[in-house]
Amino acid sequence: MGAWYEQFFYLAIALPFVGAALSSPIGRVFGRMAALVLALFPVAGFLLIFALSEEVQGRQIMLAGFDWIPAFDVRMSFRLDGLSYAFALLILGIGALIVVYTGGYLEKSPRIRQFYAFILMFMGSMLGLVLADDLITLFIFWELTSITSFLLIGFEHEREAARRGAIQALVITGGGGLALLAGLIMIRETTGLSSLSEILDQPEAIIESGAYVPVLILLLIGAFTKSAQMPFHVWLPNAMEAPTPVSAYLHSATMVKAGIYLLMRFFPVLGGTPMWEIILPVFGGVTLVVGALLSIRQSDVKLMLAYTTVASLGLLVMMIGIGSELALEAAVLYLISHSLAKACLFMVAGSIDHGAGTRDIRALGGLWRTMPVTFAAALLGAAAMGGLPPLFGFLAKEEVYAATAEAGGLYAWFVTGAALIGNSVMFATVLIVALKPFIGQLPTGLRKAHETGILVWFGPLFLGVVGLFAGIFSQVTHQFISNPMAPPSLDEAVAITISVGFHLGAALYLSIVTIILGVLLYRRSQVVRARIATLLARIGWGPDRGFDQVMRGLISGAFRLTNFLQPGRLDYYMRVTFVVIIGALWFSLIRSDALPALPEFPRLYFYEWAVLGILVLGLVVVANAPSRLAAVVSLGIQGLAVALLFMLLGAPDLSFTQFMVEILSVAILALVMTRLRLMPADRRPFREVIPELTIAIAGGLGFALFLITVSQIELDTSVSDFFTRYSYVIAHGRNIVNVILVDFRAVDTMGEIAVVLTTGAAILALVRIRVSKKDRAGVKRKRRALEGGGL
Amino acid sequence: MRTVIFRVTAPYLTSLMFLFSLFVLLRGHNEPGGGFIGGLIAASAIAVYGMAVGVEAVRRALFFHPIAYAAFGLVLAVLAGFVSIFAGFQFMTGLWAFPAILGGDVALSTTLLFDIGVYLVIVGAICAIALSLEERYSD
């Protein structure tokens, strides 16, 4: 069954996970070469996907999958078209380089094998996300990326900042994921379509379904949180607490691009409306400008790069929002270029840290003599980010300006302005990153700086060179990557043709302006940084602090709610439980007008009267028992009387069990009671008893009415008929109760005995908590305080 | 409670109760009884013994920790369900065999195995609770 390429899919998605599972043994066996061996997994996946490039260029859409939860029509299904193909290649290609880089960068970490496992798991999740076809599959992989990135960001969990960054990323992107889930379920419910393929086949379905606005908003929350749009961007810079390979991977080519992928994927079915064309460019534009301005004020190389990533993501969202043919082409080119260049630059940042021991640009300088290869990689990466010819980034930036310039009217001014400011500031930032640490005098603190090993410098240099050749041989790049990526987002196949060749026009002029502005900013970066710092100090409040405040509020709110619901007082629980039950009973009885007719006076045999008498007698004794032990024992009378009733009414099994349970519970309670100091039962004045008395009377009456009602309704005996008829035929047993327990409903019983076992273990644990004498005094004091101030 | 009479009779009483609990367990499929009630009777038997001779002696007599019996019972019950999977039926389908032993047909089934599992869980869990309570407050 299935087409020949199905195996390719499954294998490609499985490979990273297999690598993750094997990372520990491989790490043990191959030692320092483990990185190279583990990199073979993504490389193999890359080749598998690349082997399908001919089909992709022929615009063939390849599907594979199997039913997963048929009852809910959920499939585990995958789809390969141009968009997912290009993303998959980026994820696997850059992923392989990152694995190699990790081998050098974390060489000395004792937990490097664990890191391999995490990053390969993340890679697999990301791959599954871009290849997913079914909406629920998509969501599962989406959240998997959140969880695995949490593990990665918090990898150095000894540091508080790393933990905070990890939790923040998880809360923000995971929360966005829940919004996404809601959106996807709404799509399924309103249109009845459950996979991307079906949705993309009926592009009008969502817009016409009437749920367009909520679906759009929910999906945008998902995309914006994942892709770090203002004001959700805070997690991205804070995630820089992760080891550099994580930053180089998650924050350049993968995780943050998941939101972009989502927007591109849903553009044909959600895009093109006025809402889309306003919300996205506004959020994107603001993110672009603010992100760029924040990037230049930083002094930590990684943070600078992190904020330029925020800005770049803003630019991408803005482009997808504009939604014209040119804009989408620009988004595609920019995405590819940014993934390559940013991964390269992040790895360079790590290399600087590794080689020189610091990432602060104020302390860096003159490294070009000792770290020439890293310098070369940095220059290539910066040139690509800044969009200098003949690198691929240049093509991307030209297309961006071409798209904004033709957008028309006031809109064009806004988007062009945002792009111009953002690009020039980003250019200045990457210039600082690529030049400042390397040129000038070598500070005395850096005498020991040294070039890093081949594992570390290979990745960035390779990506830099790829960016260069991708620009020079642009037709090949377009054929294999950019063109397949673009069509699903566009109406009809439009080949991207832009090359480095000479072209005059608004775009080129804007490019020149960008470069001039960027260089000017670079030369005056000290002043700019100071200005932005004072501005921020004056504002004083930011989303990052806001996040903390929200979290604190959440925790204290939860604390208060818990205290309200779980004050730790048994009488409170009992009261609430009974009041709720009584409310439900009376409400339904009165509401449905089901108050029963009074039953005729029963004619009982004398022994039934006797049982009833025992019951009432026992009740009177319980209510008036002088000590607690007496109360417990006489409470047992009720149970025994009920057991007697069962016996008289022909249920020996039930009565038997009831007897035993009653005896054992009385015995155990008595056991506890005799060991405790047997305080006499509480005597309280009558007015204090009134609430409990009311509850008891209301409850007793309610239950009585309920039972009378039940007995006056004709019973549906089909179930008991079934058991009577089949218990011997099917289950070879004449005792129906037992047959039901161990045969017809054996799985239920299994669950129940599991509960019994757990309860036993839990009680054991509780009993074992021995309170020392000192603590005992404290507990008493607390109890007294509670009783004094409590009800 | 540790009177001489009680201490002397308790072991016999306990043995009888145990025997009865097994009887109740085994006949459960056709007559009143079964794993749950059988387990309760056995637990009472152990409680009686415990009252007579003390927790330490009971623990020694049981050899394993009571919770271990309960856990073993749960495993047994789950395994009883798995037998039918290997036989090609759905999980927990009852399988029956009637081999002739000593001249009479003996009904063997996975449901019996399951019931024994239930029995052990009840005995183990309740004993664990009762013993630990007794121990806790007797020092």
Side-chain angles (χ1 to χ4, degrees), chain A residues 413-542:
Chain A
W413 281 103
F414 170 73
V415 287
T416 310
L420 189 65
I421 298 172
N423 272 331
S424 38
V425 180
M426 270 200 281
F427 183 52
T429 309
V430 292
L431 269 186
I432 299 174
V433 170
L435 291 179
K436 185 77 188 20
F438 295 100
I439 58 175
Q441 290 298 314
L442 193 69
T444 45
L446 295 181
R447 292 277 175 238
K448 284 193 202 139
H450 55 87
E451 185 58 274
T452 48
I454 178 168
L455 288 182
V456 174
W457 60 251
F458 176 77
L461 192 67
F462 184 83
L463 285 177
V465 172
V466 166
L468 180 64
F469 281 103
I472 296 174
F473 302 106
S474 54
Q475 296 317 317
V476 183
T477 323
H478 293 331
Q479 189 196 339
F480 279 104
I481 301 266
S482 344
N483 269 334
M485 198 170 193
S489 310
L490 297 172
D491 297 339
E492 269 307 308
V494 185
I496 300 176
T497 51
I498 185 167
S499 72
V500 206
F502 189 68
H503 50 277
L504 266 179
L508 188 62
Y509 300 134
L510 284 166
S511 269
I512 294 169
V513 174
T514 307
I515 293 170
I516 295 171
L517 272 177
V519 172
L520 284 178
L521 274 172
Y522 168 69
R523 304 200 45 141
R524 300 184 50 80
S525 61
Q526 306 272 4
V527 185
V528 177
R529 197 178 303 152
R531 289 265 165 81
I532 299 176
T534 27
L535 182 68
L536 286 178
R538 200 162 297 167
I539 298 173
W541 186 90

Side-chain angles (χ1 to χ4, degrees), chain A residues 384-402:
Chain A
M385 267 304 291
L388 294 181
L391 282 95
F392 195 67
F394 173 67
L395 307 183
K397 201 178 52 175
E398 292 293 282
E399 204 80 324
V400 167
Y401 282 137

Side-chain angles (χ1 to χ4, degrees), chain A residues 653 660 671 675 731 734-735, chain B residues 29-31 33 44 134 137:
Chain A
D653 237 349
M660 286 314 299
L671 209 65
R675 307 298 175 189
R734 274 186 293 270
N735 177 357
Chain B
H29 218 53
N30 289 316
E31 305 286 331
S44 329
E134 173 84 8
Y137 293 109

Side-chain angles (χ1 to χ4, degrees), chain A residues 72 158 162 218 534 593 608:
Chain A
F72 289 102
E158 304 85 7
L218 289 168
T534 27
D593 210 15
E608 288 172 330

Side-chain angles (χ1 to χ4, degrees), chain A residues 233 237 287-312 342 361 385 421-433 521 525 528-529 532-533 536:
Chain A
H233 71 283
T287 308
L288 170 60
V289 173
V290 175
L293 290 175
L294 287 174
S295 78
I296 201 168
R297 78 156 286 236
Q298 302 296 331
S299 56
D300 181 323
V301 176
K302 256 173 90 175
L303 278 179
M304 299 177 84
L305 291 173
Y307 279 106
T308 59
T309 301
V310 172
S312 298
K342 194 49 75 59
I361 47 158
M385 267 304 291
I421 298 172
N423 272 331
S424 38
V425 180
M426 270 200 281
F427 183 52
T429 309
V430 292
L431 269 186
I432 299 174
V433 170
L521 274 172
S525 61
V528 177
R529 197 178 303 152
I532 299 176
L536 286 178

